[in-house]
């Protein structure tokens, strides 16, 4: 059974930083595509950043490029999202997700959430102005 547990969310002022963590069990990161998605109230879920360890392909949403960095510690089966220069529009519930990588059409320009089968419970990020 795949289990994903996010942590690290909270309240931060605009311009501040947060680091989200996603601890995974039941999977091996080397074989999986992993990613961060977010959903703000009244809005659709959007992909924030995804990575495939096997070949290093990484996706970032245009809205976070240059501010967010995705990484993973495969030995610890933990994924991270370092978020810098946070803006009020980054406020959302952030979810980590994982899927066996051959099943995900991940590229530098696309990370479709509909292909991910395992999801965490989410962690709230609130950025005040």
């Amino acid at each position: 059974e795949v289990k994903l547990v996010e942590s690290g969310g909270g309240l931060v002022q605009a311009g501040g930083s947060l680091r989200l963590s996603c601890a995974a069990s039941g999977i091996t990161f080397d074989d999986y595509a992993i990613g961060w998605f977010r959903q703000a109230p009244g809005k659709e879920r959007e992909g924030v950043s995804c990575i495939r360890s096997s070949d290093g392909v990484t996706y970032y949403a245009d809205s976070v490029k240059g501010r967010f960095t995705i990484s993973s510690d495969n030995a610890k089966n933990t994924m991270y999202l370092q978020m810098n220069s946070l803006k009020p529009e980054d406020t959302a519930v952030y979810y980590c997700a994982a899927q066996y990588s051959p099943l995900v059409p991940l590229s530098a320009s696309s990370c479709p959430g509909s292909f991910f089968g395992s999801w965490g419970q989410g962690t709230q990020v609130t950025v005040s102005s």
Side-chain angles (χ1 to χ4, degrees), residues 61-77:
D62 288 342
S63 59
V64 307
K65 283 181 180 177
R67 300 189 297 124
F68 290 11
T69 303
I70 190 171
S71 64
S72 66
D73 184 333
N74 289 12
K76 295 182 178 179
N77 253 22

Side-chain angles (χ1 to χ4, degrees), residues 26-121:
I27 64 172
T28 302
F29 275 6
D30 289 340
D31 300 327
Y32 274 68
I34 51 178
W36 290 96
F37 297 80
R38 67 186 181 187
Q39 187 165 21
K43 295 187 177 181
E44 293 186 355
R45 182 185 66 197
E46 64 170 337
V48 176
S49 182
C50 303
I51 189 168
R52 183 169 59 221
S53 296
S54 59
D55 57 9
V57 171
T58 306
Y59 164 84
Y60 288 100
D62 288 342
S63 59
V64 307
K65 283 181 180 177
R67 300 189 297 124
F68 290 11
T69 303
I70 190 171
S71 64
S72 66
D73 184 333
N74 289 12
K76 295 182 178 179
N77 253 22
T78 301
M79 173 172 64
Y80 305 97
L81 185 69
Q82 178 66 44
M83 305 186 295
N84 299 327
S85 302
L86 283 161
K87 304 175 181 180
E89 51 264 44
D90 294 318
T91 295
V93 178
Y94 284 69
Y95 300 90
C96 64
Q99 182 58 281
Y100 183 54
S101 60
L103 301 179
V104 181
L106 170 63
S107 70
S109 59
S110 176
C111 180
S114 59
F115 286 83
F116 284 77
S118 298
W119 294 82
Q121 81 288 351

